[in-house]
Amino acid sequence: MFSKSTSDPDPLVPGAPAPQAPELAEPTEPRDPLPPKPDQDGPETVTATGVATGAPKSSTSQSGKFLTTAQGARLRDTDHSLKAGPRGPVLLQDHHLREKITHFDHERIPERVVHARGAAAHGVFTANGAAEGVTQAGFLAKGVETPVFVRFSTVLGSRGSADTVRDTRGFSTKFYTAEGNYDLVANNIPVFFIQDAIKFPDVIHAGKPHPDREIPQAQSAHDTFWDFVSLHTEAQHHTMWNMSDRGIPRSYRTMEGFGVHTFRLINAAGETTLVKFHWKPRQGVHSLVWEEAQIINGMDPDFHRRDLADTIEAGAFPQWDLGIQVFPDTEDEMFEGIDLLDPTKLVPEELAPVQIIGTMTLNRNTTNYFAETEQVAFHPGHLVPGIDVTNDPLLQGRLFSYIDTQLTRLGGPNFSQIPINRPHAPVNDMLRDGFHQDADHSGVAPYQPNSLDGGCPFMAGADMGALIDVPAPVAASRKVRENPATFDDHYSQARMFFRSLTPVEQDHVVQAYTFELGKCYEENIRLRQLQSLANIDERLAAEVATGLGLEAPAPDTAVEDTAPSPALSQIGSSWPVAGRVVGVVADDSTDLGALSDVLTSLNAEGMVPLVVAPHGGKLGGQVTVQRTYLTARSTEFDAVLVAASGAAAPDAADSLDAKAGNPGGHPSLDPRVTILLAEAFRHVKAIGAWGDGASVLAAAGIPAETPGVVVGGAAEVASGITGLLANHRVWERFPTA
């Protein structure tokens, strides 16, 4: 799973921008373009009609040693416009200038209205065969390996927003199956704000920045959002998830995914089953704490996309198990009193366990962000035989919306011919022409039936892998604009979710509501939302009201109590430590032998240790420094180890780095080391020290006997930290009230 050399104490750290290090002098000898980095790969080379070409993936990259025009003519100068003399006007005949500027002017396409901020990777999905009894989908048969492309995203922010805002995350997967592309368009929250797609523009307009000022960006802590969700109480369940730690995930690789809707599966015998899809991360579900997220937004707004790319480059490939909850396909489409067509409801795993049907591994980074991540087009209606939709009114609207938005974003109806979107199955769709038509269609009869093209293409029978539209009965006998009565319960599952969390997670929910509502200008909006909280849980409402300086209202709606679902909590299990990032503070006083042993030990566990030192270069001419006191921040690390004296670095001066000022600080420590340790301590991360590091902890006010602090020999510290990281954080450090 982990490709780094575990015997090398100073392994290659991910993040190199190019496949080889540059020379100091500008290159002048013509040469072919460099290949992609080893961790990068592009889409499979299939034609616009889905035929494998056998060509290397580099065949769509730049070629040749020399700069050319778009038509292939070599150029001798791209720094000077063609002018009438050195000081004369620029000439209109300068084709290269016009081509270069014109293309630049059109480099951008409209960003997604939602999910604009994203990151993506390639991988493979391997089915274990557990789904064969409920679906005839070929890619879910035992042992079948299917290429995938996965895009993660936030919902509200623009492409230029930060990664670690409190928001729902998208988790969309394109399976390039032998029967055509299948898209599982998921979120990291199993329920949605609304029950009917007709409200989707409303909830997004409410969550987006206020239209008069275009602020606040990428966050819901403002009046229009809370105005909407307090008036549309069906949103309370999703909002509760957003206010929990699920709204600020630690990384995409520690994020769960949910298909949200109920889908219908069809097996080879024609029998149908209702299911909900789940992605379960092999590294567990973990999140940031709120202050940590706020620091990251300023220090590294690309935190999540960097983490995903670096982890794959390091060889610690993220993995998720795909699972399904299975329900009988009954006429009422209910299960244990839960309406399976209501997208604001979930089914607790204690009532319907998640059955694992395969595993996905992301093992290749993109070669070009725009060509792949930005142009990939998902659609919940991209189905394969054996998977069908249901009458969920939110899903039904999405079936229209997704294809409609691609027409604008990607310049016309041929977006499926963009390489990242091309099926890996033969395509003969009789669709013709339009913007960006890349296929060179033959034949004269793009209609059915025909005889001039020999009847081709022909219809496929049910035994020939045809897409199946399940002949489900339509119960309604009249056209109406209303919901079934089973959609009316807006509070019981929000109550179940809150009461399923551990005390520390509940504290975080209280803090999140208090912060978000505290950013609202209008008091009546706060009061209206407090009323919904009172209906969900009176203690929650009381604590939030105290923080807002308001009186908590009494419940005004009778809400049914349901049993808690322990599966909804993130805390209480242990997980593999591969991919965890450990900051190791060292300096020229550090025992380099012990340091090398610790780095080797952490590498052997699949972790990524980064040496943090007062200066760059190498310590003792042996150990490479990856971060300095100036460039490091605690938020990058899952744990911090100290093996240094902590003495001030050469740049420890207010005029160089304001964090390096030391008024009232410990005179022997660089203030940035103190900040690093103080943040890691209050963010309940594991901390270790050996050698001089023990005295640094004491000087920084970190008690050695505190939970999650390991002091001792180097090997003992490395082992202790590895054990602690399996639980992600040391929550017992600060017991709840």
Side-chain angles (χ1 to χ4, degrees):
M1 176 180 175
F2 198 78
S3 65
K4 294 194 305 181
S5 170
T6 57
S7 62
D8 183 359
D10 188 22
L12 180 66
V13 172
Q20 68 181 42
E23 299 293 335
L24 181 61
E26 178 183 352
T28 57
E29 186 68 25
R31 58 159 299 162
D32 288 320
L34 296 176
K37 296 195 317 182
D39 62 290
Q40 296 176 326
D41 211 351
E44 295 292 333
T45 51
V46 294
T47 69
T49 53
V51 179
T53 66
K57 294 178 182 177
S58 60
S59 63
T60 57
S61 300
Q62 300 94 332
S63 62
K65 299 178 181 180
F66 300 100
L67 179 67
T68 73
T69 69
Q71 306 306 314
R74 291 183 182 179
L75 293 162
R76 64 181 182 85
D77 189 337
T78 191
D79 292 330
H80 305 92
S81 301
L82 187 65
K83 299 185 288 289
R87 300 178 62 81
V90 173
L91 301 179
L92 184 61
Q93 73 181 65
D94 189 347
H95 166 74
H96 175 47
L97 167 67
R98 288 186 290 117
E99 180 184 70
K100 186 175 181 181
I101 293 295
T102 298
H103 194 282
F104 170 77
D105 290 344
H106 296 269
E107 278 183 1
R108 294 294 175 263
I109 62 176
E111 68 175 36
R112 290 167 169 86
V113 177
V114 290
H115 300 281
R117 173 79 177 178
H122 297 270
V124 63
F125 174 80
T126 304
N128 63 18
E132 289 182 290
V134 292
T135 180
Q136 59 180 295
F139 80 99
L140 293 176
K142 186 174 183 178
V144 174
E145 292 189 355
T146 303
V148 298
F149 187 72
V150 180
R151 186 178 188 271
F152 304 101
S153 57
T154 53
V155 172
L156 291 178
S158 69
R159 276 192 61 192
S161 58
D163 279 349
T164 59
V165 295
R166 183 179 295 281
D167 197 0
T168 306
R169 264 67 180 184
F171 186 147
S172 293
T173 306
K174 187 177 291 292
F175 297 82
Y176 301 96
T177 87
E179 298 174 297
N181 286 355
Y182 168 59
D183 292 350
L184 179 52
V185 190
N187 283 340
N188 74 322
I189 291 176
V191 294
F192 204 64
F193 288 106
I194 51 175
Q195 297 167 326
D196 193 309
I198 200 169
K199 293 183 181 181
F200 190 74
D202 301 322
V203 67
I204 297 303
H205 289 165
K208 285 284 190 177
H210 291 199
D212 55 346
R213 302 185 182 188
E214 188 62 11
I215 54 175
Q217 179 64 242
Q219 57 180 292
S220 56
H222 54 87
D223 288 78
T224 57
F225 175 80
W226 289 100
D227 186 38
F228 180 89
V229 300
S230 63
L231 290 168
H232 292 76
T233 53
E234 68 199 62
Q236 291 298 319
H237 189 195
H238 187 140
T239 303
M240 181 70 72
W241 278 75
N242 254 3
M243 295 303 106
S244 77
D245 293 340
R246 302 280 187 143
I248 43 174
R250 161 63 179 85
S251 65
Y252 291 135
R253 57 194 168 91
T254 58
M255 194 172 77
E256 228 169 345
F258 304 90
V260 178
H261 309 288
T262 299
F263 292 85
R264 180 172 277 109
L265 302 186
I266 314 99
N267 65 14
E271 300 164 329
T272 61
T273 305
L274 299 181
V275 301
K276 285 183 176 290
F277 289 103
H278 294 247
W279 287 113
K280 297 285 188 181
R282 286 279 181 96
Q283 285 195 300
V285 185
H286 299 306
S287 297
L288 300 169
V289 296
W290 179 231
E291 186 199 24
E292 195 178 17
Q294 291 176 302
I295 294 172
I296 292 170
N297 283 340
M299 291 292 297
D300 185 7
D302 305 305
F303 185 75
H304 282 157
R305 60 171 63 180
R306 188 189 312 281
D307 177 272
L308 178 67
D310 283 357
T311 300
I312 292 173
E313 184 180 352
F317 301 140
Q319 290 185 307
W320 290 261
D321 290 324
L322 179 62
I324 52 174
Q325 288 180 294
V326 180
F327 319 105
D329 191 359
T330 57
E331 184 177 355
D332 62 2
E333 296 170 308
M334 301 280 290
F335 181 79
E336 298 289 339
I338 300 168
D339 193 328
L340 297 176
L341 299 189
D342 183 350
T344 68
K345 303 293 193 303
L346 59 82
V347 177
E349 293 184 28
E350 291 76 15
L351 298 180
V354 175
Q355 304 173 35
I356 302 303
I357 61 175
T359 300
M360 178 173 69
T361 304
L362 297 185
N363 54 19
R364 292 178 291 138
N365 283 313
T366 57
T367 301
N368 184 278
Y369 182 91
F370 178 82
E372 300 168 62
T373 308
E374 191 63 20
Q375 290 195 120
V376 67
F378 296 100
H379 181 18
H382 290 166
L383 304 169
V384 291
I387 304 177
D388 199 7
V389 298
T390 59
N391 291 337
D392 175 338
L394 179 61
L395 175 58
Q396 292 284 311
R398 293 177 72 198
L399 295 175
F400 169 80
S401 177
Y402 276 67
I403 195 168
D404 189 50
T405 195
Q406 308 301 353
L407 296 176
T408 297
R409 288 198 67 248
L410 300 175
N414 293 310
F415 58 84
S416 63
Q417 296 182 13
I418 296 171
I420 194 63
N421 296 321
R422 290 179 180 178
H424 296 185
V427 175
N428 196 343
D429 52 21
M430 294 198 305
L431 304 176
R432 292 293 186 269
D433 306 337
F435 283 109
H436 312 301
Q437 175 59 256
D438 291 328
D440 191 0
H441 294 108
S442 60
V444 297
Y447 51 84
Q448 273 288 332
N450 75 73
S451 61
L452 290 174
D453 281 344
C456 186
F458 298 90
M459 299 299 108
D463 59 343
M464 301 175 187
L467 195 62
I468 302 167
D469 298 301
V470 176
V474 179
S477 57
R478 57 192 178 91
K479 294 184 289 186
V480 296
R481 290 187 183 273
E482 59 186 49
N483 278 339
T486 48
F487 279 38
D488 290 343
D489 173 15
H490 298 166
Y491 295 118
S492 66
Q493 288 214 333
R495 172 180 290 184
M496 176 188 68
F497 177 73
F498 180 73
R499 294 182 178 178
S500 299
L501 302 180
T502 61
V504 67
E505 291 173 296
Q506 290 184 349
D507 280 355
H508 294 169
V509 171
V510 170
Q511 176 205 43
Y513 274 111
T514 306
F515 176 88
E516 296 260 326
L517 293 173
K519 300 290 281 187
C520 291
Y521 181 87
E522 297 292 349
E523 183 171 305
N524 281 339
I525 291 175
R526 299 179 201 151
L527 292 171
R528 193 189 307 135
Q529 179 58 32
L530 281 173
Q531 183 62 66
S532 285
L533 295 185
N535 294 336
I536 294 167
D537 185 271
E538 290 188 70
R539 181 179 70 84
L540 169 63
E543 293 189 11
V544 174
T546 297
L548 297 175
L550 298 172
E551 185 175 343
D556 65 1
T557 301
V559 179
E560 179 184 358
D561 280 326
T562 56
S565 171
L568 299 177
S569 171
Q570 296 184 188
I571 298 176
S573 298
S574 60
W575 306 95
V577 296
R580 303 293 171 86
V581 181
V582 180
V584 185
V585 181
D587 60 19
D588 294 309
S589 72
T590 300
D591 180 340
L592 297 184
L595 175 61
S596 295
D597 289 344
V598 168
L599 297 178
T600 299
S601 172
L602 298 178
N603 276 308
E605 295 290 342
M607 290 184 274
V608 181
L610 299 177
V611 175
V612 183
H615 56 79
K618 289 182 178 286
L619 294 177
Q622 301 177 42
V623 178
T624 301
V625 174
Q626 286 88 30
R627 302 289 186 273
T628 65
Y629 295 170
L630 174 68
T631 61
R633 195 67 186 252
S634 69
T635 50
E636 185 177 6
F637 310 122
D638 296 294
V640 175
L641 308 184
V642 185
S645 67
D651 65 344
D654 287 2
S655 61
L656 294 173
D657 184 356
K659 299 190 304 299
N662 199 21
H666 196 282
S668 67
L669 293 185
D670 189 299
R672 292 162 298 185
V673 174
T674 305
I675 292 172
L676 181 74
L677 291 170
E679 288 177 353
F681 185 76
R682 67 175 180 265
H683 297 160
V684 288
K685 296 179 180 180
I687 297 173
W690 73 91
D692 290 341
S695 59
V696 172
L697 293 192
I702 308 293
E705 66 277 5
T706 305
V709 178
V710 182
V711 177
E716 178 188 358
V717 169
S719 174
I721 292 297
T722 300
L724 290 168
L725 280 174
N727 298 320
H728 190 60
R729 296 185 194 268
V730 190
W731 295 112
E732 60 270 27
R733 181 175 295 162
F734 302 121
T736 56

